[in-house]
Structures are given as structure tokens and as C-alpha cells.
Amino acid sequence: MYIIPILIIILDQLTKYFSVVNLEGEAPIVLIENFLQLNYVRNYGAAFGIMNSQRTFFLIITIIIVFGIIFYINKYNNTKIMNYSLVMIIGGAIGNFIDRLRVGYVIDFIDVNFGEVYDFPVFNIADSFIVIGTILLVILVMTDNYEDKGKE
């Protein structure tokens, strides 16, 4: 199961490398007019740029969260899907952690907007896995499907 975060980290770092090489200092690459473009952005904060320039805080909190999740996975009888949601969060968190540690900010490049209605904040692959893992986690907890009740 721990291969999943490794694959997420590799995919995240490769796509960020691509964005630095091909997008930094360049005009955005439009993939779908008025919806999806690739646009290099340096994010010095957290999701959507909140808590700007709190690098040390994010490095420390990421370490605590990753080790907390690993402890939780190993201590409790979770369903497989619960563990998958948690390792997706780990992979995404470590992907952004590497950026903060290596360059001092998170590299974002996926830019989605809904025409004139809403311009979604720019994000990356790591962010996507954190969000997917978190949504899945919330659904599992709300439906009481996070614990493997067949094992004691």
C-alpha cells in the first residue's frame, strides 16, 4: 500500500519539473478555452494561497500529519478504501513538502476556471490527491465505513 504515495510523489514531482521547464516565465498553455490551462504559479502559502509565507509552520505540520496518519494506519483496523484515502493524503502532503523544503514554495500549474463565473485557484497533482483523499475520508467517516468490522 505504501507504493501509492511513492507513485503520487513521483508523478507530482515530474509534472512540477515539466511546469518549471516549460511554463515558468511563459504565457499559459490553453488546453480547453475558458476552462483549463497550464499556468506556472509559485504558492508561498497553503491551499488557495492562504497563510502566505508560513514555510516553517507548513514543514512542521506536514511532518506531524504524515507521521500521525502512518501511526493511525498501523494502529487501527481500517477498511482498504480508508487506508487508500489516507495514503493519497500522505503522497500529496509529501509532494508539496518536497517543494517547500527544496525551493521554499509550492509549484502550482493546473489552472481551471469556469468562464466568467469562477476562476479556481491554481493547483497541482499533490493538491489533487490531498483533496480526493480528504473527500473520500469524509464520505467514509460520515457513512461509518472506515473501520474493518470483520477483523478484531
Side-chain angles (χ1 to χ4, degrees), residues 19 39-43 106-110 122-124 127:
S19 74
N39 183 18
Y40 178 86
V41 173
R42 293 180 180 182
N43 183 352
V106 174
I107 298 165
D108 290 333
F109 61 92
I110 304 169
V122 182
F123 60 98
N124 60 46
D127 297 335

Side-chain angles (χ1 to χ4, degrees), residues 48-112:
F48 314 124
I50 62 171
M51 295 181 68
N52 217 3
S53 300
Q54 298 294 319
R55 178 177 176 240
T56 304
F57 170 77
F58 290 122
L59 290 172
I60 292 168
I61 209 72
T62 301
I63 292 168
I64 292 168
I65 289 170
V66 167
F67 281 110
I69 292 173
I70 291 169
F71 172 79
Y72 182 84
I73 289 171
N74 291 314
K75 175 130 172 97
Y76 296 100
N77 253 352
N78 305 310
T79 60
K80 283 185 181 180
I81 195 138
M82 175 67 162
N83 286 339
Y84 288 138
S85 71
L86 293 170
V87 297
M88 283 192 268
I89 294 169
I90 289 172
I94 293 173
N96 285 339
F97 178 86
I98 290 169
D99 285 5
R100 285 190 180 96
L101 196 60
R102 191 174 59 81
V103 294
Y105 52 86
V106 174
I107 298 165
D108 290 333
F109 61 92
I110 304 169
D111 191 356
V112 177

Side-chain angles (χ1 to χ4, degrees), residues 10-30:
I10 291 169
L11 177 63
D12 176 63
Q13 292 299 304
L14 284 174
T15 57
K16 288 174 179 174
Y17 173 78
F18 165 81
S19 74
V20 169
V21 169
N22 295 293
L23 300 171
E24 186 175 23
E26 301 293 329
I29 298 172
V30 177

